[in-house]
Amino acid sequence: MSQPHDADNLLDRHSEPATLQVHYDHEERRERALLGRRLGLGAGEVLSVGCGWHPERQLFPAPRWRLTGVDIEPAMIEHLVASGEIDAGQPGRAGALDFPPASFDVVLYRLVLHHVAFQAPLAPVFAEAARLVRPGGALVAIEPGLWHPVGAALGLANRAGLGTRIHGTPDDIPLSPTLLAREARAAGLEPELHAVTFGWRRLPQPVQRALHRIDPLGSRKRLAPLGHTLMLIARRSSASAMPKLGASTGPPTGLQPSRS
């Protein structure tokens, strides 16, 4: 479960909604372009874990993709099914999902795993995703990166106990790109990392647009880990054995993504 967000924080007090929206619109375009170019799948079954109010239908549009949502709030799942934003859904917690093995072509965690890392190890969630992904499918995670200057600064603020005062919540934990790749490999998946964006949503709009020009470099191996927002595509090869979810790797965690 993600921690409450306090809107009366330093960064939100100095951020204009229109400036934030420039980043969100560009980020969505970049995510769609990366998935279109690198995922290698044009249709199938998607599981959006910890979907909250944003199951990311725009990344996996109907009718080519069938989208299943999971969140710990039953009312949220009922609303998303009724509104057509997801095709099916059920309450559940990441790390304790009861879907049969190899049920999905894509298991999606968008702005979710950093909430897990605040509470528990990531290993059970990666192992579960590897169990649920079909051969040839992939785990897709989109997360804030620790090696970007902003990610590093927020990481320092969190360690100093200033996360809520500065950016609204203590559990927006930027993630190390090496951690993401290591957890994927440990689960038997083949990781591929991309920088979605190098800019920051709180920069002035002209500066954001200038930085957008370098985002196409985000798939270069040496530059990808430096992104502000990272995309991990971790594939399960058709020849790989199906990993089993171990009970001793840590407690499951329920999630809900946020954009604090």
Side-chain angles (χ1 to χ4, degrees):
M1 185 74 175
S2 60
Q3 298 295 302
H5 178 258
D6 182 358
D8 185 23
N9 64 77
L10 176 65
L11 293 180
D12 280 340
R13 287 198 300 269
H14 294 85
S15 300
E16 296 292 333
T19 297
L20 301 177
Q21 196 61 46
V22 169
H23 174 85
Y24 295 147
D25 292 344
H26 174 72
E27 188 175 50
E28 180 181 317
R29 290 192 295 270
R30 283 281 299 154
E31 290 171 8
R32 294 183 67 170
L34 282 169
L35 289 171
R37 191 172 76 247
R38 299 302 308 170
L39 183 60
L41 297 171
E45 297 273 349
V46 179
L47 177 66
S48 180
V49 183
C51 62
W53 297 109
H54 304 284
E56 314 309 332
R57 168 63 87 182
Q58 75 279 6
L59 299 180
F60 297 97
R64 292 184 294 114
W65 296 97
R66 187 175 188 273
L67 184 60
T68 299
V70 167
D71 196 88
I72 64 171
E73 297 290 343
M76 189 176 298
I77 294 298
E78 292 174 6
H79 168 80
L80 292 173
V81 171
S83 66
E85 293 186 63
I86 59 177
D87 300 294
Q90 66 180 50
R93 293 176 176 269
L97 302 178
D98 59 0
F99 297 103
S103 294
F104 300 96
D105 299 285
V106 176
V107 177
L108 173 68
Y109 302 90
R110 188 178 188 280
L111 302 178
V112 169
L113 294 180
H114 62 286
H115 295 300
V116 177
F118 179 73
Q119 303 175 55
L122 290 175
V125 178
F126 274 81
E128 179 175 74
R131 179 179 65 83
L132 295 178
V133 169
R134 294 168 178 160
L139 175 159
V140 174
I142 301 167
E143 297 294 332
L146 180 61
W147 292 6
H148 186 275
V150 172
L154 292 181
L156 289 173
N158 292 337
R159 285 196 290 274
L162 300 174
T164 300
R165 184 178 300 178
I166 291 176
H167 57 91
T169 178
D171 68 340
D172 273 349
I173 307 294
L175 296 181
S176 162
T178 56
L179 171 67
L180 291 171
R182 184 171 67 246
E183 295 288 2
R185 291 191 186 98
L189 302 172
E190 301 171 1
E192 174 183 307
L193 192 70
H194 302 269
V196 178
T197 59
F198 291 102
W200 187 34
R201 63 187 177 276
R202 302 183 193 275
L203 291 171
Q205 295 184 37
V207 178
Q208 287 194 52
R209 293 191 173 96
L211 290 173
H212 291 170
R213 299 172 186 173
I214 68 172
D215 286 343
L217 302 176
S219 293
R220 297 190 178 186
K221 188 174 182 179
R222 292 186 178 181
L223 294 179
L226 304 179
H228 174 265
T229 307
L230 306 175
M231 177 182 286
L232 174 72
I233 301 174
R235 295 181 177 84
R236 183 179 163 212
S237 69
S238 56
S240 63
M242 188 180 303
K244 295 182 180 180
L245 182 63
S248 61
T249 50
T253 305
L255 308 169
Q256 179 177 328
S258 68
R259 278 182 168 172
S260 56

